[in-house]
Amino acid sequence: MMTRFAKSEDGSTMVEMAIVSTLLFALTLGFVDFGYALYQWNAATKAVQYGARLASISDPIVTNLAAAAPTASPGAPIAAGAYGPFVCQYTGATGGCSNGGTFSATNFSRIFRGDTAVTNNDICPTITAVQRLTMRPGMCHFFPGLHRDDIVITYTATGLGYQTRLGGPVPTITVSLKNISYQFFFLGGLFGFGDMTMPSMLSTVTGEDLKVAYP
């Protein structure tokens, strides 16, 4: 009896299937999670690209930007490093700019939340198809789950423009994200796979005639 039991292969297929199914299940969910991570990467990239473009044609977050640029020699080039750099960001509920920059919560909100209901909060509003005809979306509409304290906007003097220019100084504007992590749902919940920090990404453009008007 024991010999026959030891040689029996009944149920072996079920055991093998259980082992293979576990591996296949983990592999399939891994593909789903890493596919979603790729989506997050692409969304974050589009958000900073759009945010930089929007910042280049919107009122600067640094409201004293024009006054910070030199004006003693009308028509003379503005040297690199003549003002700033002004690094503007939120820390919790408080926004500010470095190097004595005066922070505008309204102007920051316009870049983060778009033209709809520009208010000082961290909520991303819904924009209808009709509203998109006359209103610009914000960075949060390109990257769902983005918070305003994830965004860093920097205005730098890189030698562009001239003193007393009618449209104001011509800063180089960089929009970047900080403290963003890839979210792994299946791998994190089932296998304890920790979230991975997304590499810092940024987009840099040249400021134009900074204004609020819809382009």
Side-chain angles (χ1 to χ4, degrees), residues 67-87:
T71 58
S73 303
I78 295 179
Y83 56 84
F86 299 110
V87 181

Side-chain angles (χ1 to χ4, degrees), residues 35-51 138-146 151 175 177 180 182 198 201 203:
Y36 182 59
L38 182 61
Y39 161 78
Q40 294 174 71
W41 169 272
N42 183 64
T45 301
K46 296 299 293 184
V48 295
Q49 290 174 346
Y50 178 79
M139 292 179 64
C140 65
H141 295 103
F142 289 84
F143 188 10
L146 184 68
I151 303 171
V175 176
L177 300 180
I180 302 292
Y182 294 113
M198 187 180 296
M201 59 183 62
S203 181

Side-chain angles (χ1 to χ4, degrees), residues 142-154:
F142 289 84
F143 188 10
L146 184 68
H147 299 283
R148 63 185 181 182
D149 56 3
D150 298 328
I151 303 171
V152 180
I153 302 177
T154 305

Side-chain angles (χ1 to χ4, degrees), residues 176-191:
S176 59
L177 300 180
K178 62 176 181 178
N179 303 326
I180 302 292
S181 296
Y182 294 113
Q183 303 296 317
F184 295 105
F185 295 102
F186 298 115
L187 296 181
L190 296 176
F191 305 104

Side-chain angles (χ1 to χ4, degrees), residues 52-112:
R53 171 58 184 161
L54 188 57
S56 73
I57 57 173
S58 300
D59 281 348
I61 299 168
V62 186
T63 56
N64 60 336
L65 177 63
T71 58
S73 303
I78 295 179
Y83 56 84
F86 299 110
V87 181
C88 303
Q89 58 187 317
Y90 268 93
T91 302
T94 304
C97 298
S98 64
N99 291 320
T102 304
F103 182 86
S104 170
T106 298
N107 294 345
F108 189 99
S109 179
R110 183 170 287 108
I111 296 172
F112 169 61

Side-chain angles (χ1 to χ4, degrees), residues 198-213:
M198 187 180 296
S200 178
M201 59 183 62
L202 55 84
S203 181
T204 301
V205 297
T206 300
E208 301 179 18
D209 289 332
L210 306 183
K211 57 186 179 180
V212 175

Side-chain angles (χ1 to χ4, degrees), residues 13-14 20 22 28 32 75 91 124 131 141 148 172 180 191 211-212:
T13 302
M14 183 179 297
V20 172
T22 302
T28 301
V32 172
T91 302
C124 190
Q131 288 176 320
H141 295 103
R148 63 185 181 182
T172 296
I180 302 292
F191 305 104
K211 57 186 179 180
V212 175

